[in-house]
Amino acid sequence: MKVFYPFFMLCLLWQGLQAQHKPEQAYQLIKSNNAVQYKNYYLLTLFQQLPELNKMLKENSVLKKIADTKSAQVNEALKTCKADISCYANALKFSTEEITAISQELSNSYKENNELGKLVSNHLIASGCYTLYTNENPKNLLIKAWEQDANALNYTIGVYVAGNKPNYPKIDSISFSLKDKEYAELTAANASLALQGQNELFFEPALNFALVALELNERNDAADYEPMVSGVNQPAISQIKKTDWKKYPYSVILVPGAGPEDKETALSAGGMIRCRLAAIQYLKGQAPFIVVSGGRVHPYKTKFSEAFEMKKFLIETLQIPESAIIMEPHARHTTTNMRNCVRLMFRYGIPVDKPAMVSTVKSQSYYITTVLLERCKKELGYYPYQNGKRLSDTESEFYPNTTSLQIDFDEPLDP
C-alpha cells in the first residue's frame, strides 16, 4: 500500500533533513595542542583526540598494515634519498593508491551506529569543516573528508618540503633553496623524526612531517594569536554575550587589512584610513563590533600582523574600546577577509541571519560588491557571502554564508 503525504508535510520533512546536515553554532571544535594541525587537518585531529575512535583505528589490521608499509618506505628513503629532497617528500606523501586503499577500508568499517558513524553525525557535519560534502550520504562524507585531509598533507609537503609553487608565490613560497646541502640534511632529519614516537595511526608520520616542515619554514601563521577566545578576543567575546542585537542595524563592521610593502612599517596608510572609516560607522551605532581582518602577509614573511596593528590603532589612536574589537589575524587575501569574518561570527555566537557591513576604501568596496564573489567561487569553491545594499562609496552590506566553515585544503597558512 502506497502512502501519499501532503505537499506541506514533504516540505517539512525535506527541511528537517536539510537541518540535520547544517553546522551547529553551539558546536565546540575538538582541539589538539597544535592549532596549525586542527585547523588544517580536522578529521585527522578527531582520529587522534576521540578515544574510542582512536582505539578502533589502531586495532584495524588493514590500516595497521598500510601504516607498517608506509614506515618501511620512509626507512628506505632515509637510506637511499641522500640529498634528493623530492625523494623524501614522495616517501611521506600519500600515493593515489594509498588514499584509495584507506578510503576503501574506512568505507568497509563504517556503520551508522559505530564510532565512525558517530564521528560523521556528531562532528563532521556539526563542525561545518567539511560542509561542501554534506549533501553526500554519511559514509561518502567520511571518505571525502579523509581524501581532503590526505590531499592537504600532500599539498603542504609539496610546497614546504619539495618547493612546489603555492597559490600565491610572492607571499607564501618555501623559505629554503632545494640545492642547499644543509636543507637536505634538515629534510632527512625531519623524515627521521616523523617515525619517532608511537605513530600508531596510519597517517601520523605524514602529519608530523608536514607540521615540522611548516615550523622549519616559519609558517605557523594559522596558529597566530591562538587561542584567541581566551586571549586577544576575550574582551569582545564577553561583550557578545551581553549584546542586544536588536539595537543595531548590523552585526559587525568588517575592516579588510592593507599590508605595507616594506618590513619596517607596522601599519600601512591604507590600514589607518580603513580603521578611521570603520570607527565613524561604529560611533554612529551601526554595529556593536568592528572586525579587523588580515594576517602577516605583505611583504614576504613580515613580522607585522595587519589585524593586530589595526586593533592597536583603533584603541590607542581612535579610542575605540577593546571590547568592541574582534581580531581576525589569519586572512591573506580579500577572499578570506570575507570568509574568515563569517567564520568568527559563527564560532563566537554572533547572529549570522543579520546583515553585516564592510567598511573600506572606495576601490576595494566596489571590488567586493562586483568582482570578488566570482573570485571566491573560483578559489574557495563557494560564495562566502551575499551582497546586500550599497550604503556609500566606502560601505556596503553583506549577508554571511556558513559554507565559509569549509576547510581550504591548499592554503595551509590560512585553511
Side-chain angles (χ1 to χ4, degrees), residues 99-110:
I99 292 173
T100 301
I102 293 164
S103 294
Q104 186 60 57
E105 184 55 27
L106 290 173
S107 178
N108 292 341
S109 301
Y110 175 90

Side-chain angles (χ1 to χ4, degrees), residues 168-182:
Y168 296 91
K170 287 185 179 179
I171 56 173
D172 293 340
S173 293
I174 191 172
S175 303
F176 301 96
S177 166
L178 271 61
K179 297 177 182 178
D180 189 332
K181 290 182 180 179
E182 183 182 356

Side-chain angles (χ1 to χ4, degrees), residues 260-268 298-300 302-304 309:
E261 291 303 329
D262 67 272
K263 289 194 173 183
E264 303 306 315
T265 302
L267 179 62
S268 70
H298 297 284
Y300 176 73
T302 179
K303 300 299 182 186
F304 293 111
E309 298 302 330

Side-chain angles (χ1 to χ4, degrees), residues 79-275:
K79 296 175 186 175
T80 60
C81 288
K82 297 180 181 177
D84 185 350
I85 303 297
S86 62
C87 177
Y88 296 106
N90 290 335
L92 270 300
K93 286 164 69 174
F94 287 100
S95 68
T96 301
E97 292 75 20
E98 287 168 335
I99 292 173
T100 301
I102 293 164
S103 294
Q104 186 60 57
E105 184 55 27
L106 290 173
S107 178
N108 292 341
S109 301
Y110 175 90
K111 288 186 175 58
E112 189 176 328
N113 60 351
N114 71 4
E115 295 305 319
L116 288 172
K118 294 174 190 175
L119 168 75
V120 176
S121 58
N122 296 343
H123 296 281
L124 299 191
I125 294 171
S127 70
C129 293
Y130 303 92
T131 194
L132 283 180
Y133 315 128
T134 50
N135 287 333
E136 302 276 349
N137 68 51
K139 183 189 291 188
N140 286 347
L141 194 161
L142 171 64
I143 301 312
K144 292 283 188 183
W146 151 245
E147 290 172 350
Q148 175 177 304
D149 277 21
N151 286 318
L153 286 176
N154 285 354
Y155 182 89
T156 298
I157 293 168
V159 173
Y160 292 105
V161 176
N164 293 350
K165 186 178 178 181
N167 294 322
Y168 296 91
K170 287 185 179 179
I171 56 173
D172 293 340
S173 293
I174 191 172
S175 303
F176 301 96
S177 166
L178 271 61
K179 297 177 182 178
D180 189 332
K181 290 182 180 179
E182 183 182 356
Y183 179 55
E185 185 177 39
L186 289 171
T187 303
N190 186 10
S192 178
L193 284 170
L195 294 179
Q196 305 303 314
Q198 294 182 336
N199 278 338
E200 295 180 78
L201 293 173
F202 60 92
F203 58 85
E204 286 178 329
L207 174 64
N208 295 338
F209 189 65
L211 291 173
V212 172
L214 288 169
E215 179 182 81
L216 295 175
N217 279 273
E218 298 181 310
R219 286 305 198 177
N220 282 340
D221 298 54
D224 282 357
Y225 300 98
E226 294 289 4
M228 296 193 295
V229 291
S230 58
V232 293
N233 285 337
Q234 193 277 327
I237 290 170
S238 295
Q239 189 62 35
I240 286 168
K241 296 171 183 175
K242 300 181 283 187
T243 299
D244 182 356
W245 297 101
K246 296 175 185 175
K247 291 182 178 180
Y248 303 92
Y250 300 102
S251 55
V252 302
I253 301 162
L254 169 62
V255 187
E261 291 303 329
D262 67 272
K263 289 194 173 183
E264 303 306 315
T265 302
L267 179 62
S268 70
M272 295 178 194
I273 286 292
R274 295 171 196 207
C275 285

